[in-house]
């Protein structure tokens, strides 16, 4: 992953390079389509195991998006804040990682 994110912790936004943003949006669009597909499967009374396998695929896809965002966050936002002397970002990161690992 590229390491050229710009993070501004004061207004809590992150500018992402167009290529990375497009990749994330593409992945999220696929996840959105998969979730709609699961809803359709439930509406059509599809076999439970088939639906559960699709749910697992969606969870895996979301985890991949989360990993990409986490990597960028650590390489940009977290590093920037540590270099600025803001070590509270470590606690924030640990809380976020705990949520991701549930």
């Amino acid at each position: 992953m590229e390491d050229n994110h710009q993070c501004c912790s004061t207004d809590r936004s992150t500018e992402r390079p167009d290529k990375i943003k497009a990749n994330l949006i593409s992945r999220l669009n696929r996840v959105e389509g998969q979730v709609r597909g699961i809803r359709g499967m439930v509406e059509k009374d599809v076999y439970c195991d088939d639906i559960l396998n699709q749910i697992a695929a969606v969870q895996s896809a979301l985890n991949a998006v989360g990993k990409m965002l986490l990597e960028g966050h650590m390489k940009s936002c977290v590093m920037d804040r540590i270099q600025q002397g803001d070590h509270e970002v470590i606690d924030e990161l640990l809380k976020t990682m705990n949520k991701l690992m549930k």
Side-chain angles (χ1 to χ4, degrees):
M1 172 174 248
E2 294 178 28
D3 186 12
N4 56 354
H5 289 68
Q6 294 178 351
C7 181
C8 182
S9 61
T10 56
D11 67 338
R12 306 289 295 199
S13 67
T14 303
E15 286 187 39
R16 291 174 185 83
D18 289 341
K19 184 177 179 181
I20 291 173
K21 186 185 292 190
N23 187 351
L24 290 168
I25 290 170
S26 174
R27 289 170 180 263
L28 289 168
N29 285 338
R30 271 185 257 133
V31 168
E32 184 179 12
Q34 287 176 297
V35 171
R36 281 195 305 268
I38 291 169
R39 184 186 63 220
M41 293 172 79
V42 170
E43 291 170 350
K44 294 174 185 169
D45 293 323
V46 170
Y47 185 60
C48 298
D49 191 58
D50 294 337
I51 297 171
L52 291 168
N53 282 316
Q54 287 303 308
I55 290 171
V58 169
Q59 288 172 328
S60 178
L62 275 176
N63 285 340
V65 171
K67 287 176 188 175
M68 287 179 65
L69 283 167
L70 181 60
E71 181 181 342
H73 182 57
M74 291 177 72
K75 288 182 175 180
S76 61
C77 304
V78 174
M79 289 295 295
D80 291 347
R81 288 177 61 186
I82 288 172
Q83 289 171 351
Q84 295 169 10
D86 180 2
H87 296 278
E88 291 178 18
V89 70
I90 299 297
D91 291 331
E92 176 186 284
L93 177 63
L94 289 171
K95 282 173 60 175
T96 299
M97 290 179 69
N98 281 328
K99 289 177 187 176
L100 285 171
M101 293 182 175
K102 282 186 178 181

